[in-house]
Amino acid sequence: MIRYYENIDISERNSFHVRQVAKRLVEFDRAEELPELFERYGSESWYVLSGGNNILFTKDVEQLLITPCDDRIEVISESETAVRVKVGAGVEWDDLVAWSVERELWGIENLSLIPGKAGAAPVQNIGAYGVEAKDTIRAVEMYFVEGGNFVTLAAEHCGFGYRESVFKHSLKGRVIITAIEIELSKTPNPRLGYGDVVREVEARGGATLANIRDAICSIRRSKLPDTAVLGNAGSFFKNPVVESEVAERLLAKYPDMPHYPAQEEGKVKLAAGWLIDKAGMKGAKKGNVAVHERQALVLVNLGGATGSEVIEFAYEVVATVKERFAIEISPEVNIL
Ligand code: EPU
């Protein structure tokens, strides 16, 4: 079914809860409805509003907003060792994780409690605790708006990298993701190497899927603010990837600085949260916007903040980090 709204308040459709109005918004349940949707409501300018968990609206929206609502999870093939699953773009990501953990299927348990919908997962290749969506995504199904045709793109053509994919670049504004196909394993494969994960899992009695999910949920809840209580979009900034000489220069001065090997050779990934924290901005506040007091990577709406207030404050954070470390951090959140 297709549902059409006009002049709709979208404050409950974005996790920052900024109060803006969308001139036109349309929800659809099935991929097959997209040709009709574009015929009836199509405009030159449209934007996919999925769960609204990684977006900051800075003004009212003139573009047609399109929200995929297909929430089906379907097993499409099964072998002795693995299961391939088709997941509608409108499935809540964490419901998918719960579904796989209940069925003793391995692969996405470390991605527990990441807010957002399955269709958004490949766009920024969501990741946490040493695992990324690309590790299980095998294909992405989409509708090509220009051509009016459906395409299934194999994962190797999706250009996945750290918080990166073709959907942020060459396919941006051209396709609507309708489903993802993931492969989950029946063979246990615990990945506990990140931060406090191993300790939290051991404290629960060992590396079962249920224990890993529980541990990750508890770590996330302790650091990340609940969007229902405090508007936010998770990590506001990306962790910067810098030349190894830059990291070495900083390490000489700050030997305890967290750093990780980057996917690109000769580069190092730094922790934006640590940089912001060390620059003295953790808990900093301006008007209705603040740097979260338990995780400096997250900006929060203390209540009633506008998108432009958030962005203005975000650039103050960027400037302070730059002044202190000569490193430019950049937003991970989409700004509209
Ligand atoms: N740190 C601080 N102060 C802070 C925050 C972090 O010193 O206020 C230090 C931590 O102690 C740690 C390092 O910085 O040594 C990294 O912090 P953390 O492990 O909390 O993770 P992160 O690198 O800041 C990334 C993802 C998160 C994901 C976590 C866990 C990005 C931009 N963020 O954060 O993803 O949950 O790893 O894997 O890559 C999101 O994308 O919305 C998100 C929450």
Side-chain angles (χ1 to χ4, degrees):
M1 203 163 80
I2 299 175
R3 291 169 294 280
Y4 180 72
Y5 306 86
E6 269 180 6
N7 298 320
I8 176 174
D9 173 359
I10 49 174
S11 51
E12 291 309 313
R13 291 173 186 253
N14 74 91
S15 61
F16 252 116
H17 301 309
V18 293
R19 191 170 294 280
Q20 300 293 353
V21 170
K23 206 167 171 187
R24 300 181 304 146
L25 183 147
V26 59
E27 296 172 340
F28 70 98
D29 291 329
R30 299 287 178 259
E32 306 81 74
E33 295 164 335
L34 280 168
E36 182 197 337
L37 184 156
F38 274 93
E39 217 165 276
R40 271 163 64 186
Y41 308 111
S43 59
E44 307 234 308
S45 180
W46 52 269
Y47 189 86
V48 176
L49 174 62
S50 182
N53 290 284
N54 202 44
I55 188 161
L56 178 64
F57 290 106
T58 55
K59 48 185 180 308
D60 286 345
V61 187
E62 293 293 319
Q63 284 149 294
L64 173 70
L65 291 180
I66 301 177
T67 301
C69 295
D70 186 347
D71 60 357
R72 292 172 297 177
I73 301 177
E74 245 176 288
V75 172
I76 46 180
S77 65
E78 184 164 357
S79 71
E80 245 167 57
T81 54
V83 173
R84 189 149 167 157
V85 185
K86 176 172 166 171
V87 187
V91 171
E92 191 64 45
W93 176 265
D94 194 56
D95 290 348
L96 175 65
V97 180
W99 181 96
S100 66
V101 168
E102 272 162 28
R103 284 160 184 77
E104 288 295 317
L105 296 171
W106 294 77
I108 53 174
E109 58 284 354
N110 288 32
L111 306 181
S112 286
L113 222 59
I114 294 188
K117 308 276 184 179
V123 178
Q124 59 153 338
N125 178 27
I126 57 171
Y129 309 102
V131 173
E132 290 182 327
K134 76 171 171 61
D135 305 337
T136 49
I137 293 178
R138 294 292 174 268
V140 178
E141 299 184 13
M142 67 201 77
Y143 178 67
F144 248 94
V145 177
E146 298 153 29
N149 55 321
F150 292 94
V151 172
T152 299
L153 197 62
E156 55 268 35
H157 300 302
C158 290
F160 288 131
Y162 167 65
R163 295 295 193 275
E164 280 294 356
S165 76
V166 283
F167 307 107
K168 283 178 135 181
H169 301 284
S170 57
L171 296 185
K172 189 175 177 180
R174 300 174 66 197
V175 302
I176 293 178
I177 294 170
T178 55
I180 60 172
E181 294 176 21
I182 62 171
E183 189 169 299
L184 299 169
S185 170
K186 295 183 182 176
T187 316
N189 179 24
R191 280 148 306 171
L192 311 178
Y194 191 100
D196 302 337
V197 179
V198 85
R199 190 162 48 80
E200 290 285 330
V201 168
E202 289 310 322
R204 284 164 174 78
T208 64
L209 271 172
N211 285 346
I212 296 171
R213 173 162 168 77
D214 194 51
I216 301 270
C217 287
S218 136
I219 296 171
R220 288 188 76 93
R221 286 201 180 100
S222 71
K223 285 192 186 166
L224 297 166
D226 180 356
T227 56
V229 181
L230 212 51
N232 74 89
S235 301
F236 192 91
F237 300 100
K238 282 197 270 201
N239 285 331
V241 174
V242 301
E243 298 293 336
S244 51
E245 301 83 71
V246 175
E248 276 155 30
R249 171 177 60 76
L250 283 169
L251 278 165
K253 204 163 166 199
Y254 310 100
D256 64 338
M257 178 183 73
H259 58 287
Y260 318 92
Q263 265 145 12
E264 304 92 320
E265 216 170 298
K267 298 209 171 180
V268 175
K269 188 158 84 175
L270 305 181
W274 184 90
L275 295 167
I276 297 167
D277 191 346
K278 203 77 182 170
M281 294 292 278
K282 193 170 185 166
K285 211 170 110 171
K286 189 176 180 192
N288 297 319
V289 191
V291 174
H292 187 50
E293 48 200 15
R294 278 179 283 138
Q295 167 57 287
L297 206 46
V298 178
L299 298 187
V300 294
N301 176 356
L302 298 170
T306 62
S308 11
E309 270 180 88
V310 177
I311 198 77
E312 212 174 280
F313 184 58
Y315 282 105
E316 279 181 31
V317 174
V318 172
T320 309
V321 167
K322 193 168 179 192
E323 210 176 283
R324 174 79 188 263
F325 299 104
I327 287 180
E328 191 144 339
I329 54 172
S330 57
E332 193 232 75
V333 167
N334 297 305
I335 295 161
L336 205 69

